[in-house]
Amino acid sequence: QVQLVESGGGLVQPGGSLRLSCSASGSIGVIYRMGWYRQAPGKQRELVTNIFSTGTTTYAGSVKGRFTISRDNDKNTVYLQMNSLKPEDTAVYYCNGYITTVQPMKTQDYWGQGTQVTVSS
C-alpha cells in the first residue's frame, strides 16, 4: 500500500504565501501523476494542479500564475507553492497520487488526509 502525508497548511493573510508538501511512501513502483485537490465548505472537491511523470503540469484557471507545483523524485515528494493567496483559496487541500504498487502490482489513486489552508485577515 501507499501512504500520502501532507504538511504545510495554516492561516495566512490575503496576499501571503504558503508551501504545501506531500510525501509518498510504501510499496511504490511507478508514480504516474501527483497533484492537489481542494474542497471548500459546501463545495465539491476540485482539481488544483497535477504534475505527471513526464514533468508536464496542469493548473486550474483560478490558480494559474499564482500556484506552482514541483517534485523531488528522489524523495517521492511534491510541493505546492501558493503565492498571492486570496480568501477564496480557503479550503482543505488534498494530495493525490496515481501510483503503481509493487506488492501487490496494482495501479490506483491514493489520497492524503488533507491539510487546512485558511486565507483571512
Side-chain angles (χ1 to χ4, degrees), residues 50-88:
N50 268 326
I51 185 165
F52 294 83
S53 58
T54 57
T56 301
T57 58
T58 65
Y59 294 94
S62 59
V63 307
K64 196 171 293 186
R66 301 187 297 122
F67 290 12
T68 303
I69 189 170
S70 62
R71 65 184 182 183
D72 184 331
N73 290 332
D74 291 339
K75 296 181 179 179
N76 289 333
T77 298
V78 293
Y79 305 96
L80 180 61
Q81 179 66 43
M82 305 185 291
N83 298 329
S84 303
L85 282 161
K86 306 175 181 180
E88 51 264 43

PDB file of all heavy atoms in Angstrom, residues 50-88:
ATOM      1  N   ASN A  50      -1.767  19.297 -11.292  1.00  0.00           N
ATOM      2  CA  ASN A  50      -1.169  17.976 -11.432  1.00  0.00           C
ATOM      3  C   ASN A  50       0.243  18.110 -11.982  1.00  0.00           C
ATOM      4  O   ASN A  50       0.529  19.060 -12.747  1.00  0.00           O
ATOM      5  CB  ASN A  50      -1.965  17.129 -12.435  1.00  0.00           C
ATOM      6  CG  ASN A  50      -3.042  16.303 -11.793  1.00  0.00           C
ATOM      7  OD1 ASN A  50      -2.901  15.837 -10.675  1.00  0.00           O
ATOM      8  ND2 ASN A  50      -4.140  16.117 -12.505  1.00  0.00           N
ATOM      9  N   ILE A  51       1.070  17.144 -11.652  1.00  0.00           N
ATOM     10  CA  ILE A  51       2.359  17.000 -12.303  1.00  0.00           C
ATOM     11  C   ILE A  51       2.513  15.532 -12.693  1.00  0.00           C
ATOM     12  O   ILE A  51       2.326  14.640 -11.868  1.00  0.00           O
ATOM     13  CB  ILE A  51       3.530  17.500 -11.434  1.00  0.00           C
ATOM     14  CG1 ILE A  51       4.837  17.438 -12.231  1.00  0.00           C
ATOM     15  CG2 ILE A  51       3.636  16.740 -10.121  1.00  0.00           C
ATOM     16  CD1 ILE A  51       5.971  18.250 -11.584  1.00  0.00           C
ATOM     17  N   PHE A  52       2.823  15.300 -13.969  1.00  0.00           N
ATOM     18  CA  PHE A  52       2.910  13.953 -14.496  1.00  0.00           C
ATOM     19  C   PHE A  52       4.358  13.467 -14.464  1.00  0.00           C
ATOM     20  O   PHE A  52       5.293  14.262 -14.284  1.00  0.00           O
ATOM     21  CB  PHE A  52       2.345  13.917 -15.919  1.00  0.00           C
ATOM     22  CG  PHE A  52       0.862  14.193 -15.976  1.00  0.00           C
ATOM     23  CD1 PHE A  52       0.379  15.486 -15.978  1.00  0.00           C
ATOM     24  CD2 PHE A  52      -0.048  13.148 -16.007  1.00  0.00           C
ATOM     25  CE1 PHE A  52      -0.986  15.749 -16.017  1.00  0.00           C
ATOM     26  CE2 PHE A  52      -1.414  13.398 -16.044  1.00  0.00           C
ATOM     27  CZ  PHE A  52      -1.877  14.703 -16.044  1.00  0.00           C
ATOM     28  N   SER A  53       4.517  12.173 -14.678  1.00  0.00           N
ATOM     29  CA  SER A  53       5.856  11.579 -14.662  1.00  0.00           C
ATOM     30  C   SER A  53       6.746  12.200 -15.738  1.00  0.00           C
ATOM     31  O   SER A  53       7.970  12.195 -15.609  1.00  0.00           O
ATOM     32  CB  SER A  53       5.770  10.068 -14.850  1.00  0.00           C
ATOM     33  OG  SER A  53       5.121   9.749 -16.065  1.00  0.00           O
ATOM     34  N   THR A  54       6.141  12.744 -16.770  1.00  0.00           N
ATOM     35  CA  THR A  54       6.902  13.394 -17.843  1.00  0.00           C
ATOM     36  C   THR A  54       7.380  14.784 -17.441  1.00  0.00           C
ATOM     37  O   THR A  54       8.191  15.383 -18.142  1.00  0.00           O
ATOM     38  CB  THR A  54       6.031  13.541 -19.090  1.00  0.00           C
ATOM     39  OG1 THR A  54       4.845  14.282 -18.734  1.00  0.00           O
ATOM     40  CG2 THR A  54       5.634  12.179 -19.649  1.00  0.00           C
ATOM     41  N   GLY A  55       6.833  15.291 -16.362  1.00  0.00           N
ATOM     42  CA  GLY A  55       7.142  16.658 -15.940  1.00  0.00           C
ATOM     43  C   GLY A  55       6.087  17.662 -16.361  1.00  0.00           C
ATOM     44  O   GLY A  55       6.133  18.821 -15.940  1.00  0.00           O
ATOM     45  N   THR A  56       5.149  17.236 -17.165  1.00  0.00           N
ATOM     46  CA  THR A  56       4.060  18.108 -17.585  1.00  0.00           C
ATOM     47  C   THR A  56       3.201  18.508 -16.392  1.00  0.00           C
ATOM     48  O   THR A  56       2.916  17.678 -15.528  1.00  0.00           O
ATOM     49  CB  THR A  56       3.188  17.401 -18.627  1.00  0.00           C
ATOM     50  OG1 THR A  56       3.984  17.056 -19.758  1.00  0.00           O
ATOM     51  CG2 THR A  56       2.033  18.286 -19.070  1.00  0.00           C
ATOM     52  N   THR A  57       2.826  19.767 -16.355  1.00  0.00           N
ATOM     53  CA  THR A  57       1.983  20.270 -15.274  1.00  0.00           C
ATOM     54  C   THR A  57       0.693  20.854 -15.839  1.00  0.00           C
ATOM     55  O   THR A  57       0.654  21.340 -16.979  1.00  0.00           O
ATOM     56  CB  THR A  57       2.699  21.354 -14.464  1.00  0.00           C
ATOM     57  OG1 THR A  57       3.080  22.422 -15.341  1.00  0.00           O
ATOM     58  CG2 THR A  57       3.947  20.801 -13.802  1.00  0.00           C
ATOM     59  N   THR A  58      -0.352  20.794 -15.031  1.00  0.00           N
ATOM     60  CA  THR A  58      -1.625  21.427 -15.375  1.00  0.00           C
ATOM     61  C   THR A  58      -2.112  22.211 -14.169  1.00  0.00           C
ATOM     62  O   THR A  58      -1.798  21.851 -13.020  1.00  0.00           O
ATOM     63  CB  THR A  58      -2.690  20.395 -15.766  1.00  0.00           C
ATOM     64  OG1 THR A  58      -2.993  19.573 -14.642  1.00  0.00           O
ATOM     65  CG2 THR A  58      -2.227  19.519 -16.922  1.00  0.00           C
ATOM     66  N   TYR A  59      -2.836  23.282 -14.440  1.00  0.00           N
ATOM     67  CA  TYR A  59      -3.342  24.129 -13.365  1.00  0.00           C
ATOM     68  C   TYR A  59      -4.796  24.512 -13.651  1.00  0.00           C
ATOM     69  O   TYR A  59      -5.168  24.755 -14.802  1.00  0.00           O
ATOM     70  CB  TYR A  59      -2.525  25.411 -13.244  1.00  0.00           C
ATOM     71  CG  TYR A  59      -1.102  25.199 -12.808  1.00  0.00           C
ATOM     72  CD1 TYR A  59      -0.086  25.071 -13.748  1.00  0.00           C
ATOM     73  CD2 TYR A  59      -0.777  25.123 -11.457  1.00  0.00           C
ATOM     74  CE1 TYR A  59       1.231  24.866 -13.353  1.00  0.00           C
ATOM     75  CE2 TYR A  59       0.528  24.926 -11.047  1.00  0.00           C
ATOM     76  CZ  TYR A  59       1.525  24.799 -12.001  1.00  0.00           C
ATOM     77  OH  TYR A  59       2.823  24.601 -11.608  1.00  0.00           O
ATOM     78  N   ALA A  60      -5.570  24.623 -12.583  1.00  0.00           N
ATOM     79  CA  ALA A  60      -6.892  25.216 -12.710  1.00  0.00           C
ATOM     80  C   ALA A  60      -6.731  26.690 -13.060  1.00  0.00           C
ATOM     81  O   ALA A  60      -5.768  27.339 -12.627  1.00  0.00           O
ATOM     82  CB  ALA A  60      -7.663  25.071 -11.409  1.00  0.00           C
ATOM     83  N   GLY A  61      -7.664  27.205 -13.821  1.00  0.00           N
ATOM     84  CA  GLY A  61      -7.568  28.592 -14.243  1.00  0.00           C
ATOM     85  C   GLY A  61      -7.511  29.579 -13.085  1.00  0.00           C
ATOM     86  O   GLY A  61      -6.859  30.621 -13.171  1.00  0.00           O
ATOM     87  N   SER A  62      -8.184  29.225 -11.988  1.00  0.00           N
ATOM     88  CA  SER A  62      -8.255  30.133 -10.847  1.00  0.00           C
ATOM     89  C   SER A  62      -6.933  30.285 -10.111  1.00  0.00           C
ATOM     90  O   SER A  62      -6.767  31.233  -9.326  1.00  0.00           O
ATOM     91  CB  SER A  62      -9.333  29.647  -9.872  1.00  0.00           C
ATOM     92  OG  SER A  62      -9.030  28.341  -9.427  1.00  0.00           O
ATOM     93  N   VAL A  63      -5.988  29.368 -10.325  1.00  0.00           N
ATOM     94  CA  VAL A  63      -4.708  29.440  -9.610  1.00  0.00           C
ATOM     95  C   VAL A  63      -3.522  29.662 -10.547  1.00  0.00           C
ATOM     96  O   VAL A  63      -2.400  29.873 -10.068  1.00  0.00           O
ATOM     97  CB  VAL A  63      -4.465  28.169  -8.773  1.00  0.00           C
ATOM     98  CG1 VAL A  63      -5.647  27.887  -7.854  1.00  0.00           C
ATOM     99  CG2 VAL A  63      -4.154  26.964  -9.654  1.00  0.00           C
ATOM    100  N   LYS A  64      -3.759  29.621 -11.841  1.00  0.00           N
ATOM    101  CA  LYS A  64      -2.660  29.746 -12.805  1.00  0.00           C
ATOM    102  C   LYS A  64      -1.957  31.085 -12.608  1.00  0.00           C
ATOM    103  O   LYS A  64      -2.604  32.136 -12.487  1.00  0.00           O
ATOM    104  CB  LYS A  64      -3.203  29.626 -14.220  1.00  0.00           C
ATOM    105  CG  LYS A  64      -2.151  29.364 -15.280  1.00  0.00           C
ATOM    106  CD  LYS A  64      -2.795  29.033 -16.611  1.00  0.00           C
ATOM    107  CE  LYS A  64      -3.527  27.719 -16.570  1.00  0.00           C
ATOM    108  NZ  LYS A  64      -4.054  27.320 -17.920  1.00  0.00           N
ATOM    109  N   GLY A  65      -0.644  31.023 -12.552  1.00  0.00           N
ATOM    110  CA  GLY A  65       0.151  32.224 -12.345  1.00  0.00           C
ATOM    111  C   GLY A  65       0.410  32.543 -10.886  1.00  0.00           C
ATOM    112  O   GLY A  65       1.259  33.390 -10.574  1.00  0.00           O
ATOM    113  N   ARG A  66      -0.305  31.875  -9.981  1.00  0.00           N
ATOM    114  CA  ARG A  66      -0.120  32.112  -8.545  1.00  0.00           C
ATOM    115  C   ARG A  66       0.440  30.880  -7.837  1.00  0.00           C
ATOM    116  O   ARG A  66       1.200  31.013  -6.871  1.00  0.00           O
ATOM    117  CB  ARG A  66      -1.446  32.506  -7.886  1.00  0.00           C
ATOM    118  CG  ARG A  66      -2.073  33.753  -8.462  1.00  0.00           C
ATOM    119  CD  ARG A  66      -3.300  34.193  -7.636  1.00  0.00           C
ATOM    120  NE  ARG A  66      -4.364  33.198  -7.664  1.00  0.00           N
ATOM    121  CZ  ARG A  66      -4.865  32.625  -6.573  1.00  0.00           C
ATOM    122  NH1 ARG A  66      -4.405  32.929  -5.377  1.00  0.00           N
ATOM    123  NH2 ARG A  66      -5.859  31.751  -6.689  1.00  0.00           N
ATOM    124  N   PHE A  67       0.026  29.696  -8.273  1.00  0.00           N
ATOM    125  CA  PHE A  67       0.465  28.447  -7.650  1.00  0.00           C
ATOM    126  C   PHE A  67       1.464  27.754  -8.568  1.00  0.00           C
ATOM    127  O   PHE A  67       1.347  27.810  -9.800  1.00  0.00           O
ATOM    128  CB  PHE A  67      -0.723  27.512  -7.441  1.00  0.00           C
ATOM    129  CG  PHE A  67      -1.701  27.949  -6.385  1.00  0.00           C
ATOM    130  CD1 PHE A  67      -1.676  29.225  -5.824  1.00  0.00           C
ATOM    131  CD2 PHE A  67      -2.672  27.069  -5.938  1.00  0.00           C
ATOM    132  CE1 PHE A  67      -2.581  29.612  -4.855  1.00  0.00           C
ATOM    133  CE2 PHE A  67      -3.586  27.434  -4.972  1.00  0.00           C
ATOM    134  CZ  PHE A  67      -3.549  28.710  -4.429  1.00  0.00           C
ATOM    135  N   THR A  68       2.413  27.052  -7.951  1.00  0.00           N
ATOM    136  CA  THR A  68       3.397  26.272  -8.704  1.00  0.00           C
ATOM    137  C   THR A  68       3.581  24.913  -8.058  1.00  0.00           C
ATOM    138  O   THR A  68       3.863  24.835  -6.856  1.00  0.00           O
ATOM    139  CB  THR A  68       4.751  26.989  -8.759  1.00  0.00           C
ATOM    140  OG1 THR A  68       4.588  28.296  -9.335  1.00  0.00           O
ATOM    141  CG2 THR A  68       5.744  26.199  -9.605  1.00  0.00           C
ATOM    142  N   ILE A  69       3.439  23.875  -8.853  1.00  0.00           N
ATOM    143  CA  ILE A  69       3.683  22.521  -8.366  1.00  0.00           C
ATOM    144  C   ILE A  69       5.080  22.086  -8.812  1.00  0.00           C
ATOM    145  O   ILE A  69       5.525  22.413  -9.926  1.00  0.00           O
ATOM    146  CB  ILE A  69       2.617  21.527  -8.871  1.00  0.00           C
ATOM    147  CG1 ILE A  69       2.752  20.176  -8.175  1.00  0.00           C
ATOM    148  CG2 ILE A  69       2.650  21.382 -10.392  1.00  0.00           C
ATOM    149  CD1 ILE A  69       1.586  19.227  -8.439  1.00  0.00           C
ATOM    150  N   SER A  70       5.763  21.394  -7.925  1.00  0.00           N
ATOM    151  CA  SER A  70       7.081  20.862  -8.252  1.00  0.00           C
ATOM    152  C   SER A  70       7.248  19.524  -7.553  1.00  0.00           C
ATOM    153  O   SER A  70       6.420  19.145  -6.727  1.00  0.00           O
ATOM    154  CB  SER A  70       8.177  21.841  -7.835  1.00  0.00           C
ATOM    155  OG  SER A  70       8.155  22.052  -6.437  1.00  0.00           O
ATOM    156  N   ARG A  71       8.323  18.823  -7.862  1.00  0.00           N
ATOM    157  CA  ARG A  71       8.503  17.498  -7.279  1.00  0.00           C
ATOM    158  C   ARG A  71       9.976  17.200  -7.048  1.00  0.00           C
ATOM    159  O   ARG A  71      10.859  17.768  -7.719  1.00  0.00           O
ATOM    160  CB  ARG A  71       7.924  16.434  -8.215  1.00  0.00           C
ATOM    161  CG  ARG A  71       8.668  16.340  -9.538  1.00  0.00           C
ATOM    162  CD  ARG A  71       8.046  15.377 -10.484  1.00  0.00           C
ATOM    163  NE  ARG A  71       8.815  15.287 -11.726  1.00  0.00           N
ATOM    164  CZ  ARG A  71       8.469  14.564 -12.770  1.00  0.00           C
ATOM    165  NH1 ARG A  71       7.379  13.836 -12.730  1.00  0.00           N
ATOM    166  NH2 ARG A  71       9.234  14.553 -13.851  1.00  0.00           N
ATOM    167  N   ASP A  72      10.204  16.317  -6.104  1.00  0.00           N
ATOM    168  CA  ASP A  72      11.531  15.764  -5.847  1.00  0.00           C
ATOM    169  C   ASP A  72      11.379  14.252  -6.016  1.00  0.00           C
ATOM    170  O   ASP A  72      10.858  13.573  -5.129  1.00  0.00           O
ATOM    171  CB  ASP A  72      11.997  16.125  -4.433  1.00  0.00           C
ATOM    172  CG  ASP A  72      13.405  15.648  -4.150  1.00  0.00           C
ATOM    173  OD1 ASP A  72      13.833  14.632  -4.733  1.00  0.00           O
ATOM    174  OD2 ASP A  72      14.078  16.263  -3.313  1.00  0.00           O
ATOM    175  N   ASN A  73      11.809  13.749  -7.153  1.00  0.00           N
ATOM    176  CA  ASN A  73      11.590  12.334  -7.452  1.00  0.00           C
ATOM    177  C   ASN A  73      12.337  11.423  -6.482  1.00  0.00           C
ATOM    178  O   ASN A  73      11.858  10.338  -6.141  1.00  0.00           O
ATOM    179  CB  ASN A  73      12.018  12.024  -8.891  1.00  0.00           C
ATOM    180  CG  ASN A  73      11.093  12.642  -9.908  1.00  0.00           C
ATOM    181  OD1 ASN A  73       9.911  12.855  -9.646  1.00  0.00           O
ATOM    182  ND2 ASN A  73      11.623  12.956 -11.085  1.00  0.00           N
ATOM    183  N   ASP A  74      13.495  11.850  -6.022  1.00  0.00           N
ATOM    184  CA  ASP A  74      14.283  11.024  -5.102  1.00  0.00           C
ATOM    185  C   ASP A  74      13.559  10.839  -3.772  1.00  0.00           C
ATOM    186  O   ASP A  74      13.744   9.820  -3.101  1.00  0.00           O
ATOM    187  CB  ASP A  74      15.651  11.641  -4.862  1.00  0.00           C
ATOM    188  CG  ASP A  74      16.539  11.573  -6.100  1.00  0.00           C
ATOM    189  OD1 ASP A  74      16.270  10.723  -6.973  1.00  0.00           O
ATOM    190  OD2 ASP A  74      17.485  12.369  -6.187  1.00  0.00           O
ATOM    191  N   LYS A  75      12.761  11.814  -3.404  1.00  0.00           N
ATOM    192  CA  LYS A  75      12.047  11.767  -2.120  1.00  0.00           C
ATOM    193  C   LYS A  75      10.579  11.401  -2.287  1.00  0.00           C
ATOM    194  O   LYS A  75       9.832  11.372  -1.295  1.00  0.00           O
ATOM    195  CB  LYS A  75      12.148  13.131  -1.415  1.00  0.00           C
ATOM    196  CG  LYS A  75      13.560  13.522  -1.038  1.00  0.00           C
ATOM    197  CD  LYS A  75      13.575  14.867  -0.322  1.00  0.00           C
ATOM    198  CE  LYS A  75      14.979  15.262   0.080  1.00  0.00           C
ATOM    199  NZ  LYS A  75      15.014  16.592   0.763  1.00  0.00           N
ATOM    200  N   ASN A  76      10.143  11.146  -3.527  1.00  0.00           N
ATOM    201  CA  ASN A  76       8.709  10.872  -3.790  1.00  0.00           C
ATOM    202  C   ASN A  76       7.829  11.936  -3.159  1.00  0.00           C
ATOM    203  O   ASN A  76       6.810  11.632  -2.522  1.00  0.00           O
ATOM    204  CB  ASN A  76       8.306   9.486  -3.283  1.00  0.00           C
ATOM    205  CG  ASN A  76       8.908   8.372  -4.118  1.00  0.00           C
ATOM    206  OD1 ASN A  76       9.197   8.541  -5.300  1.00  0.00           O
ATOM    207  ND2 ASN A  76       9.104   7.222  -3.491  1.00  0.00           N
ATOM    208  N   THR A  77       8.225  13.178  -3.336  1.00  0.00           N
ATOM    209  CA  THR A  77       7.555  14.312  -2.691  1.00  0.00           C
ATOM    210  C   THR A  77       7.172  15.357  -3.732  1.00  0.00           C
ATOM    211  O   THR A  77       7.959  15.626  -4.651  1.00  0.00           O
ATOM    212  CB  THR A  77       8.460  14.939  -1.632  1.00  0.00           C
ATOM    213  OG1 THR A  77       8.734  13.961  -0.621  1.00  0.00           O
ATOM    214  CG2 THR A  77       7.795  16.144  -0.982  1.00  0.00           C
ATOM    215  N   VAL A  78       5.982  15.895  -3.567  1.00  0.00           N
ATOM    216  CA  VAL A  78       5.553  17.026  -4.383  1.00  0.00           C
ATOM    217  C   VAL A  78       5.296  18.217  -3.480  1.00  0.00           C
ATOM    218  O   VAL A  78       4.955  18.049  -2.306  1.00  0.00           O
ATOM    219  CB  VAL A  78       4.299  16.729  -5.223  1.00  0.00           C
ATOM    220  CG1 VAL A  78       4.596  15.698  -6.297  1.00  0.00           C
ATOM    221  CG2 VAL A  78       3.139  16.318  -4.373  1.00  0.00           C
ATOM    222  N   TYR A  79       5.468  19.388  -4.058  1.00  0.00           N
ATOM    223  CA  TYR A  79       5.294  20.632  -3.329  1.00  0.00           C
ATOM    224  C   TYR A  79       4.291  21.512  -4.080  1.00  0.00           C
ATOM    225  O   TYR A  79       4.206  21.461  -5.301  1.00  0.00           O
ATOM    226  CB  TYR A  79       6.628  21.366  -3.213  1.00  0.00           C
ATOM    227  CG  TYR A  79       7.727  20.545  -2.608  1.00  0.00           C
ATOM    228  CD1 TYR A  79       8.631  19.859  -3.424  1.00  0.00           C
ATOM    229  CD2 TYR A  79       7.864  20.437  -1.229  1.00  0.00           C
ATOM    230  CE1 TYR A  79       9.637  19.087  -2.872  1.00  0.00           C
ATOM    231  CE2 TYR A  79       8.876  19.667  -0.679  1.00  0.00           C
ATOM    232  CZ  TYR A  79       9.751  18.996  -1.496  1.00  0.00           C
ATOM    233  OH  TYR A  79      10.746  18.231  -0.945  1.00  0.00           O
ATOM    234  N   LEU A  80       3.568  22.301  -3.328  1.00  0.00           N
ATOM    235  CA  LEU A  80       2.681  23.284  -3.917  1.00  0.00           C
ATOM    236  C   LEU A  80       3.019  24.637  -3.314  1.00  0.00           C
ATOM    237  O   LEU A  80       2.739  24.886  -2.143  1.00  0.00           O
ATOM    238  CB  LEU A  80       1.213  22.938  -3.662  1.00  0.00           C
ATOM    239  CG  LEU A  80       0.206  23.911  -4.256  1.00  0.00           C
ATOM    240  CD1 LEU A  80       0.333  23.968  -5.774  1.00  0.00           C
ATOM    241  CD2 LEU A  80      -1.223  23.536  -3.861  1.00  0.00           C
ATOM    242  N   GLN A  81       3.645  25.479  -4.105  1.00  0.00           N
ATOM    243  CA  GLN A  81       3.942  26.840  -3.676  1.00  0.00           C
ATOM    244  C   GLN A  81       2.762  27.720  -4.054  1.00  0.00           C
ATOM    245  O   GLN A  81       2.410  27.823  -5.230  1.00  0.00           O
ATOM    246  CB  GLN A  81       5.214  27.349  -4.361  1.00  0.00           C
ATOM    247  CG  GLN A  81       5.581  28.766  -4.001  1.00  0.00           C
ATOM    248  CD  GLN A  81       5.957  28.925  -2.535  1.00  0.00           C
ATOM    249  OE1 GLN A  81       6.678  28.097  -1.984  1.00  0.00           O
ATOM    250  NE2 GLN A  81       5.468  29.975  -1.902  1.00  0.00           N
ATOM    251  N   MET A  82       2.163  28.328  -3.053  1.00  0.00           N
ATOM    252  CA  MET A  82       0.974  29.156  -3.259  1.00  0.00           C
ATOM    253  C   MET A  82       1.303  30.598  -2.908  1.00  0.00           C
ATOM    254  O   MET A  82       1.631  30.895  -1.762  1.00  0.00           O
ATOM    255  CB  MET A  82      -0.189  28.651  -2.395  1.00  0.00           C
ATOM    256  CG  MET A  82      -0.516  27.184  -2.620  1.00  0.00           C
ATOM    257  SD  MET A  82      -1.974  26.633  -1.692  1.00  0.00           S
ATOM    258  CE  MET A  82      -1.334  26.725  -0.029  1.00  0.00           C
ATOM    259  N   ASN A  83       1.249  31.455  -3.906  1.00  0.00           N
ATOM    260  CA  ASN A  83       1.528  32.880  -3.721  1.00  0.00           C
ATOM    261  C   ASN A  83       0.280  33.709  -3.989  1.00  0.00           C
ATOM    262  O   ASN A  83      -0.677  33.224  -4.603  1.00  0.00           O
ATOM    263  CB  ASN A  83       2.652  33.314  -4.668  1.00  0.00           C
ATOM    264  CG  ASN A  83       3.958  32.606  -4.404  1.00  0.00           C
ATOM    265  OD1 ASN A  83       4.266  32.230  -3.274  1.00  0.00           O
ATOM    266  ND2 ASN A  83       4.740  32.404  -5.460  1.00  0.00           N
ATOM    267  N   SER A  84       0.315  34.938  -3.550  1.00  0.00           N
ATOM    268  CA  SER A  84      -0.810  35.862  -3.772  1.00  0.00           C
ATOM    269  C   SER A  84      -2.137  35.219  -3.386  1.00  0.00           C
ATOM    270  O   SER A  84      -3.125  35.265  -4.131  1.00  0.00           O
ATOM    271  CB  SER A  84      -0.849  36.307  -5.249  1.00  0.00           C
ATOM    272  OG  SER A  84       0.365  36.900  -5.634  1.00  0.00           O
ATOM    273  N   LEU A  85      -2.148  34.636  -2.207  1.00  0.00           N
ATOM    274  CA  LEU A  85      -3.338  33.906  -1.768  1.00  0.00           C
ATOM    275  C   LEU A  85      -4.522  34.840  -1.564  1.00  0.00           C
ATOM    276  O   LEU A  85      -4.372  35.990  -1.137  1.00  0.00           O
ATOM    277  CB  LEU A  85      -3.031  33.135  -0.491  1.00  0.00           C
ATOM    278  CG  LEU A  85      -2.239  31.840  -0.732  1.00  0.00           C
ATOM    279  CD1 LEU A  85      -1.565  31.382   0.549  1.00  0.00           C
ATOM    280  CD2 LEU A  85      -3.155  30.759  -1.277  1.00  0.00           C
ATOM    281  N   LYS A  86      -5.699  34.293  -1.893  1.00  0.00           N
ATOM    282  CA  LYS A  86      -6.946  35.022  -1.782  1.00  0.00           C
ATOM    283  C   LYS A  86      -7.876  34.303  -0.810  1.00  0.00           C
ATOM    284  O   LYS A  86      -7.753  33.087  -0.619  1.00  0.00           O
ATOM    285  CB  LYS A  86      -7.628  35.103  -3.151  1.00  0.00           C
ATOM    286  CG  LYS A  86      -6.768  35.679  -4.255  1.00  0.00           C
ATOM    287  CD  LYS A  86      -7.482  35.599  -5.590  1.00  0.00           C
ATOM    288  CE  LYS A  86      -6.617  36.156  -6.709  1.00  0.00           C
ATOM    289  NZ  LYS A  86      -7.318  36.072  -8.031  1.00  0.00           N
ATOM    290  N   PRO A  87      -8.833  35.009  -0.223  1.00  0.00           N
ATOM    291  CA  PRO A  87      -9.785  34.330   0.673  1.00  0.00           C
ATOM    292  C   PRO A  87     -10.490  33.149   0.005  1.00  0.00           C
ATOM    293  O   PRO A  87     -10.771  32.145   0.666  1.00  0.00           O
ATOM    294  CB  PRO A  87     -10.771  35.445   1.030  1.00  0.00           C
ATOM    295  CG  PRO A  87      -9.949  36.686   0.944  1.00  0.00           C
ATOM    296  CD  PRO A  87      -9.009  36.467  -0.214  1.00  0.00           C
ATOM    297  N   GLU A  88     -10.723  33.243  -1.288  1.00  0.00           N
ATOM    298  CA  GLU A  88     -11.398  32.146  -1.993  1.00  0.00           C
ATOM    299  C   GLU A  88     -10.518  30.914  -2.173  1.00  0.00           C
ATOM    300  O   GLU A  88     -10.987  29.880  -2.648  1.00  0.00           O
ATOM    301  CB  GLU A  88     -11.930  32.607  -3.348  1.00  0.00           C
ATOM    302  CG  GLU A  88     -10.927  33.322  -4.227  1.00  0.00           C
ATOM    303  CD  GLU A  88     -11.033  34.837  -4.105  1.00  0.00           C
ATOM    304  OE1 GLU A  88     -11.184  35.352  -2.971  1.00  0.00           O
ATOM    305  OE2 GLU A  88     -10.939  35.507  -5.162  1.00  0.00           O
TER     306      GLU A  88
END
